[in-house]
Amino acid sequence: SAVISQKPSRDICQRGTSLTIQCQVDSQVTMMFWYRQQPGQSLTLIATANQGSEATYESGFVIDKFPISRPNLTFSTLTVSNMSPEDSSIYLCSTRDPGANVLTFGAGSRLTVL
Amino acid sequence: GIQVEQSPPDLILQEGANSTLRCNFSDSVNNLQWFHQNPWGQLINLFYIPSGTKQNGRLSATTVATERYSLLYISSSQTTDSGVYFCAVETSGTYKYIFGTGTRLKVLA
């Protein structure tokens, strides 16, 4: 299965700032997904990022707050904009292996907003 | 949208005990996976099991798609089994997985 590297692994940020999370996959994948996990909660899908097209956002998530780039088949970024303490979460990048239905995750980026 | 409920929400076991975790979903699904999230937050894929039964060591899983549930069995639990267990389902044509509510497991030595 694909190996996914995310960075930063963790960060502490100030209210009102923005942070970009990078996701690198060791093989070419069509579909990449960004999830958010708030403290003590399950995972919620933020958006689906396909190369060459705009990301598709889930209900409750908007591009102005969570802009996503997908410049090629192995890389994506998620920016958390104008952060508030409510954005303190683990943000996870995932992919579906080509030709398979199995979802694989990176180690996640743990953000704390003060 | 589809609802995915897991039970129990919390479970405490003594080392060596067995347990059954349940995942109920409200609509037909194409795919289903079980994950273990360790205390460091890493999600590990345990099973891809849209139907039928699979076993991997002390763990096994069964999905009865027609009745809209899946079960994860943990036998002879160990302290390293502690963490949160999630099921995730994909409905037809969506290509995205929706996660269940999770079961938080603590295994005591």
Side-chain angles (χ1 to χ4, degrees), chain B residues 11 13 17-21 72-77 105:
Chain B
L11 187 59
L13 300 173
N18 303 328
S19 62
T20 301
L21 282 56
L72 178 69
Y73 306 96
I74 304 173
S75 64
S76 304
S77 58
L105 174 65

Side-chain angles (χ1 to χ4, degrees), chain B residues 1-108:
Chain B
I2 191 170
Q3 304 298 311
V4 187
E5 298 288 332
Q6 292 182 240
S7 60
D10 296 281
L11 187 59
I12 300 175
L13 300 173
Q14 285 296 135
E15 200 167 27
N18 303 328
S19 62
T20 301
L21 282 56
R22 187 177 180 101
C23 170
N24 290 333
F25 39 95
S26 61
D27 202 351
S28 300
V29 299
N30 276 2
N31 297 300
L32 187 147
Q33 281 182 251
W34 282 96
F35 293 90
H36 175 219
Q37 188 171 39
N38 64 26
W40 296 271
Q42 177 71 55
L43 276 161
I44 307 298
N45 177 47
L46 297 176
F47 293 102
Y48 168 73
I49 185 165
S51 64
T53 297
K54 289 186 178 179
Q55 180 157 6
N56 184 4
R58 296 182 296 104
L59 303 181
S60 63
T62 296
T63 296
V64 184
T66 54
E67 297 187 19
R68 299 182 182 173
Y69 74 89
S70 184
L71 302 173
L72 178 69
Y73 306 96
I74 304 173
S75 64
S76 304
S77 58
Q78 301 175 357
T79 56
T80 52
D81 294 331
S82 297
V84 185
Y85 291 81
F86 292 104
C87 65
V89 302
E90 180 205 348
T91 54
S92 176
T94 64
Y95 302 104
K96 57 190 180 185
Y97 276 87
I98 303 302
F99 276 71
T101 50
T103 292
R104 186 174 302 274
L105 174 65
K106 187 173 180 63
V107 181
L108 304 176

